[in-house]
Amino acid sequence: MPDYSVKTVQTKAFQDQRPGTSGLRKRVPVFKQEHYTENFVQSILSSIPGGPEKSTLVVGGDGRYYSPEVIQKIVQIAAGNGVSKLIIGRDGIFSTPAVSHEIRARKATGGILLTASHNPGGPNADFGIKYNMDNGGPAPESVTEAIFEFSKTIKEYKLVELPEVDLSKLGSSKSGPLEIEVIDAIKPYVAFLKEIFDFDAIKSYVHSPEVSVLFDGLSGVTGPYARDIFVNELGLPESSIQNCEPSPDFNGGHPDPNLTYAHSLVQVVEEKKITFGAASDGDGDRNMIYGAGAFVTPSDSVAIIADWADCIPYFKKGGVKGLARSMPTSTALDRVAKAKGVEHFEVPTGWKFFGNLMDAGRLSICGEESFGTGSDHVREKDGLWAIVAWLNILASAHDKGIKGIKGLLLDHYKKYGRTFFSRYDYEEVDSDAAAKVIKELESAFASSDFVGSSLSATSSSTSFKVAETGNFTYTDPIDKSVSKNQGLYVTFEDGSRFVVRLSGTGSQGATIRLYVEKYSKDEAEYERDTQEGLKPLIEVALKTSKLVEHTGRKEPTVIT
Ligand code: VG1
Ligand code: CO
């Protein structure tokens, strides 16, 4: 008889296991330290509201380097903590939105997601672990803080020594006290998308002669999902998808769908004049929409999806209850909410802040400027959902004589005006230098004559009059929890603004994010280059924060 008794392992606590914007993200060698991963898994299980006993957890991730080993650890520690059942994606492959859906569909207690999202993978790159709740959404701050508190003083963890689980074999089995079900994580999710969208309309649209499609999985988790959607369901050729084999190190790439990192997509789209190109990130929750000569900013994307929601069966049936965006995301969505007469919300950065509003039936569609778009069909942002939503909308627009991505963008600008938006990222900046930038702005805000003063850009003889400044604080309208220090903002009298905040997902040093936004109702600007349109504002933001002086960085690492 094998020994299935629970063993208690003595450990030492680590002080650096505070989950960030989206889970705990560190370099693989950090997670490989003795007890490090086990401590964090135990801290998660011990922080599950209601306890881990008799729980059912969904487990999976983007298949990045070190995932198989961590899944085996989770199996043992789950068994040691009285978890009843684990539902695991075959080979550990499970996109973040599909985990969210599975938790909801199976009424599971929660889920453990193994991903560092768009961060590179590999032996010296990033790994990540995050916990999602029974609503399918990322744990709220109250739970992530409980996990952190537990991790700081943990003295022991519990496990049952079990034989290695074969993750390639579908089906249920008993592993000691634990039931394990290895499932096909692709099919239920794709079936769900087919309920949400009008696949017949999409199918006829993508087969019309002037339309061509290219999806790039960036060697992340969405590859098998995309093959099922584009090739099997929509009947497109294999050549309509690329980089669709999940790879533990994303084939040496950076699985972040933006113009810088998704160059494999951008290049082919431009070369072949593809009308609809799209990509998603490592774990499948982000998306980029990009056709030949037409890039959609994520802030515009969510506004357009909201504006056209009626052509999507899911919203035709259930209606659009409310709209929301993260604070740094452009205000394009607010104008749609106003036109539609629905509530709109501004929440801090991070998807966890949308969940309560959705659960309360007050939010249907939301987005973040960081290539995150989604709805209340799950409780995570959802890359493939957004991509299929765009196809559904383009099909409907096509019938109304609006052609392609560019046609849709111009139509939107004519109706609402255009919001120019850009984000400058300064990655792996020295932490002290980053702190100085924040201090610089805080002291500017503290001076009594800053509001009302004019900040001028020498490059274009434009000046901006400061209307309001602050450090964003959010009070959740549902549970009244308060989140402070969510980003410094300066709003100008013409409605432009800039925002500065520090990233909560980086794994090394500090990353400064600078967000700039300008609104225009001048038709002459609708086809203007974004960076050109924002130049004076960027100059003013850099001058006010003394960012170049403090960090020594003349240029950002990435511009989106
Ligand atoms: C970034 C983005 C944020 C997003 C988060 C997780 O966070 O700015 O909008 O929700 O990543 O996305 P931060 O704290 O680094 O700015 V993902 O695709 O990594 O789950
Ligand atoms: Co992601």
Side-chain angles (χ1 to χ4, degrees), residues 214 216 218 242-243 261-269:
L214 180 64
D216 194 326
L218 300 179
Q242 67 179 21
N243 299 317
Y261 292 125
H263 51 83
S264 53
L265 175 83
V266 173
Q267 200 189 342
V268 184
V269 162

mmCIF file of all heavy atoms in Angstrom, residues 214 216 218 242-243 261-269:
data_model
loop_
_atom_site.group_PDB
_atom_site.id
_atom_site.type_symbol
_atom_site.label_atom_id
_atom_site.label_comp_id
_atom_site.label_asym_id
_atom_site.label_seq_id
_atom_site.Cartn_x
_atom_site.Cartn_y
_atom_site.Cartn_z
ATOM 1 N N LEU A 214 -5.038 37.107 -40.577
ATOM 2 C CA LEU A 214 -3.837 36.470 -40.027
ATOM 3 C C LEU A 214 -3.835 36.615 -38.512
ATOM 4 O O LEU A 214 -3.893 37.724 -37.984
ATOM 5 C CB LEU A 214 -2.553 37.104 -40.585
ATOM 6 C CG LEU A 214 -1.258 36.479 -40.049
ATOM 7 C CD1 LEU A 214 -1.121 35.014 -40.476
ATOM 8 C CD2 LEU A 214 -0.029 37.261 -40.512
ATOM 9 N N ASP A 216 -1.663 35.692 -35.010
ATOM 10 C CA ASP A 216 -0.340 35.302 -34.527
ATOM 11 C C ASP A 216 -0.420 34.960 -33.037
ATOM 12 O O ASP A 216 -0.754 35.818 -32.216
ATOM 13 C CB ASP A 216 0.648 36.463 -34.756
ATOM 14 C CG ASP A 216 2.098 36.022 -34.603
ATOM 15 O OD1 ASP A 216 2.372 35.145 -33.764
ATOM 16 O OD2 ASP A 216 2.955 36.569 -35.328
ATOM 17 N N LEU A 218 2.065 34.183 -31.178
ATOM 18 C CA LEU A 218 3.338 34.543 -30.524
ATOM 19 C C LEU A 218 3.887 33.380 -29.677
ATOM 20 O O LEU A 218 4.501 33.598 -28.642
ATOM 21 C CB LEU A 218 3.177 35.818 -29.666
ATOM 22 C CG LEU A 218 2.730 37.088 -30.402
ATOM 23 C CD1 LEU A 218 2.590 38.255 -29.421
ATOM 24 C CD2 LEU A 218 3.698 37.479 -31.517
ATOM 25 N N GLN A 242 -0.330 31.795 -37.424
ATOM 26 C CA GLN A 242 1.117 31.554 -37.334
ATOM 27 C C GLN A 242 1.579 31.594 -35.885
ATOM 28 O O GLN A 242 0.904 32.166 -35.030
ATOM 29 C CB GLN A 242 1.889 32.547 -38.202
ATOM 30 C CG GLN A 242 1.805 33.992 -37.724
ATOM 31 C CD GLN A 242 2.617 34.942 -38.617
ATOM 32 O OE1 GLN A 242 2.916 34.643 -39.760
ATOM 33 N NE2 GLN A 242 2.973 36.105 -38.068
ATOM 34 N N ASN A 243 2.721 30.965 -35.635
ATOM 35 C CA ASN A 243 3.279 30.855 -34.278
ATOM 36 C C ASN A 243 2.237 30.309 -33.301
ATOM 37 O O ASN A 243 2.035 30.854 -32.216
ATOM 38 C CB ASN A 243 3.825 32.206 -33.799
ATOM 39 C CG ASN A 243 4.939 32.704 -34.697
ATOM 40 O OD1 ASN A 243 5.805 31.936 -35.092
ATOM 41 N ND2 ASN A 243 4.902 33.980 -35.054
ATOM 42 N N TYR A 261 6.649 44.283 -30.039
ATOM 43 C CA TYR A 261 6.976 42.871 -29.843
ATOM 44 C C TYR A 261 6.276 41.927 -30.817
ATOM 45 O O TYR A 261 6.728 40.812 -31.032
ATOM 46 C CB TYR A 261 6.693 42.460 -28.395
ATOM 47 C CG TYR A 261 7.643 43.126 -27.420
ATOM 48 C CD1 TYR A 261 7.174 43.866 -26.342
ATOM 49 C CD2 TYR A 261 9.017 43.017 -27.596
ATOM 50 C CE1 TYR A 261 8.047 44.478 -25.457
ATOM 51 C CE2 TYR A 261 9.892 43.631 -26.713
ATOM 52 C CZ TYR A 261 9.408 44.357 -25.653
ATOM 53 O OH TYR A 261 10.282 44.961 -24.783
ATOM 54 N N ALA A 262 5.165 42.348 -31.388
ATOM 55 C CA ALA A 262 4.472 41.461 -32.338
ATOM 56 C C ALA A 262 4.920 41.775 -33.768
ATOM 57 O O ALA A 262 4.122 41.793 -34.690
ATOM 58 C CB ALA A 262 2.960 41.589 -32.183
ATOM 59 N N HIS A 263 6.243 41.989 -33.926
ATOM 60 C CA HIS A 263 6.708 42.373 -35.266
ATOM 61 C C HIS A 263 6.494 41.259 -36.279
ATOM 62 O O HIS A 263 6.360 41.501 -37.457
ATOM 63 C CB HIS A 263 8.168 42.848 -35.238
ATOM 64 C CG HIS A 263 9.081 41.900 -34.543
ATOM 65 N ND1 HIS A 263 9.617 40.821 -35.177
ATOM 66 C CD2 HIS A 263 9.504 41.851 -33.266
ATOM 67 C CE1 HIS A 263 10.353 40.139 -34.303
ATOM 68 N NE2 HIS A 263 10.292 40.741 -33.140
ATOM 69 N N SER A 264 6.447 39.982 -35.795
ATOM 70 C CA SER A 264 6.204 38.873 -36.728
ATOM 71 C C SER A 264 4.858 39.064 -37.415
ATOM 72 O O SER A 264 4.715 38.804 -38.607
ATOM 73 C CB SER A 264 6.248 37.530 -35.995
ATOM 74 O OG SER A 264 5.377 37.519 -34.875
ATOM 75 N N LEU A 265 3.888 39.572 -36.691
ATOM 76 C CA LEU A 265 2.563 39.821 -37.276
ATOM 77 C C LEU A 265 2.592 41.062 -38.162
ATOM 78 O O LEU A 265 2.164 41.031 -39.324
ATOM 79 C CB LEU A 265 1.518 40.017 -36.172
ATOM 80 C CG LEU A 265 0.130 40.399 -36.700
ATOM 81 C CD1 LEU A 265 -0.642 39.165 -37.132
ATOM 82 C CD2 LEU A 265 -0.679 41.177 -35.683
ATOM 83 N N VAL A 266 3.122 42.140 -37.615
ATOM 84 C CA VAL A 266 3.123 43.430 -38.317
ATOM 85 C C VAL A 266 3.779 43.293 -39.696
ATOM 86 O O VAL A 266 3.264 43.765 -40.704
ATOM 87 C CB VAL A 266 3.846 44.501 -37.469
ATOM 88 C CG1 VAL A 266 4.021 45.798 -38.240
ATOM 89 C CG2 VAL A 266 3.078 44.741 -36.173
ATOM 90 N N GLN A 267 4.909 42.579 -39.700
ATOM 91 C CA GLN A 267 5.662 42.413 -40.938
ATOM 92 C C GLN A 267 4.822 41.717 -42.016
ATOM 93 O O GLN A 267 4.716 42.214 -43.138
ATOM 94 C CB GLN A 267 6.897 41.577 -40.620
ATOM 95 C CG GLN A 267 7.999 41.710 -41.629
ATOM 96 C CD GLN A 267 9.093 40.684 -41.353
ATOM 97 O OE1 GLN A 267 9.177 40.118 -40.255
ATOM 98 N NE2 GLN A 267 9.917 40.438 -42.347
ATOM 99 N N VAL A 268 4.213 40.586 -41.673
ATOM 100 C CA VAL A 268 3.447 39.834 -42.675
ATOM 101 C C VAL A 268 2.189 40.607 -43.077
ATOM 102 O O VAL A 268 1.816 40.625 -44.251
ATOM 103 C CB VAL A 268 3.090 38.422 -42.150
ATOM 104 C CG1 VAL A 268 2.381 37.611 -43.225
ATOM 105 C CG2 VAL A 268 4.341 37.693 -41.688
ATOM 106 N N VAL A 269 1.542 41.255 -42.116
ATOM 107 C CA VAL A 269 0.332 42.026 -42.424
ATOM 108 C C VAL A 269 0.646 43.111 -43.463
ATOM 109 O O VAL A 269 -0.092 43.291 -44.435
ATOM 110 C CB VAL A 269 -0.262 42.652 -41.141
ATOM 111 C CG1 VAL A 269 -1.218 43.790 -41.449
ATOM 112 C CG2 VAL A 269 -0.988 41.588 -40.325
#
